[in-house]
Amino acid sequence: MAQIQTSRFGTLHYNEEDVLFFPQGIPGFHFLEHWLISGEEENPIKWLQSVEDPSVALPITAPHLVLPEYNAVISRDELEDLGNASVEELTILVVLTIPPRKPWDMTANLRAPIVINIINRRGKQILLDGDAYPVRFYCFPEEKRAFFARAEETKAKESPENALCGEEKES
């Protein structure tokens, strides 16, 4: 059993066979090739945690949780790095962006899914052709985002010290 001391989750214990290998890294982190998926099983948001740089972790989720009809069309050529895998041996995840002060504005990158061969533990982030899916797809519908934003504004006005933004009322 190995372990890494992460900046977000403390000490993570893992087995070497749990490590995912990204031969090309991930865009923006091309120099990081070894990753783990961590997080509580019941939580739909997991973390793609770098083994080589414990300060790097990307929030991820299954795309169908964000957009049930998601159907990424990926060419066989794009999957070559992952080995000769059947569709059943692949899993697709998407990277989330969660604004620290406005989590209701969370977005998913549906244009560049992460594909993992669950048999040989190889992964790759793939940029889909065309513009069928955006880089920033809101995870919550507009009416829910507006509801949470209004609730936060009300909370900030009533009790600025408890507001997420931490801003104080003007005198």
Side-chain angles (χ1 to χ4, degrees):
M1 173 124 357
Q3 69 181 32
I4 55 173
Q5 184 66 35
T6 70
S7 57
R8 284 182 181 80
F9 312 109
T11 303
L12 286 182
H13 299 274
Y14 64 94
N15 294 315
E16 289 297 327
E17 60 267 14
D18 294 332
V19 175
L20 302 171
F21 177 59
F22 285 73
Q24 301 169 355
I26 293 175
F29 302 100
H30 63 278
F31 51 92
L32 301 175
E33 297 179 339
H34 299 91
W35 299 79
L36 295 170
I37 294 179
S38 68
E40 298 171 4
E41 191 167 325
E42 66 278 357
N43 192 332
I45 299 174
K46 306 287 188 245
W47 292 86
L48 192 59
Q49 172 67 58
S50 169
V51 174
E52 295 142 325
D53 184 344
S55 69
V56 177
L58 307 171
I60 55 173
T61 196
H64 73 273
L65 295 176
V66 177
L67 183 65
E69 62 272 16
Y70 186 76
N71 185 24
V73 178
I74 302 169
S75 72
R76 266 285 175 217
D77 291 344
E78 286 284 5
L79 298 175
E80 241 177 59
D81 294 342
L82 303 181
N84 189 16
S86 67
V87 172
E88 296 79 25
E89 296 171 336
L90 300 174
T91 190
I92 297 179
L93 302 165
V94 292
V95 177
L96 301 170
T97 299
I98 307 171
R101 292 189 165 91
K102 296 181 180 182
W104 53 85
D105 280 342
M106 176 173 44
T107 60
N109 182 346
L110 299 180
R111 184 163 305 157
I114 291 176
V115 182
I116 298 170
N117 178 330
I118 58 176
I119 304 301
N120 67 12
R121 313 289 295 166
R122 292 172 72 93
K124 180 178 183 179
Q125 188 170 25
I126 297 172
L127 182 61
L128 300 177
D129 290 333
D131 57 358
Y133 296 108
V135 171
R136 290 181 189 88
F137 180 84
Y138 283 106
C139 295
F140 299 106
E142 175 60 37
E143 61 273 5
K144 291 225 188 252
R145 294 193 324 271
F147 171 81
F148 288 120
R150 283 192 304 275
E152 183 58 30
E153 285 175 18
T154 301
K155 185 177 175 182
K157 289 177 185 173
E158 292 173 358
S159 180
E161 65 276 359
N162 292 331
L164 284 176
C165 60
E167 295 176 11
E168 295 185 25
K169 283 186 192 176
E170 291 184 23
S171 305

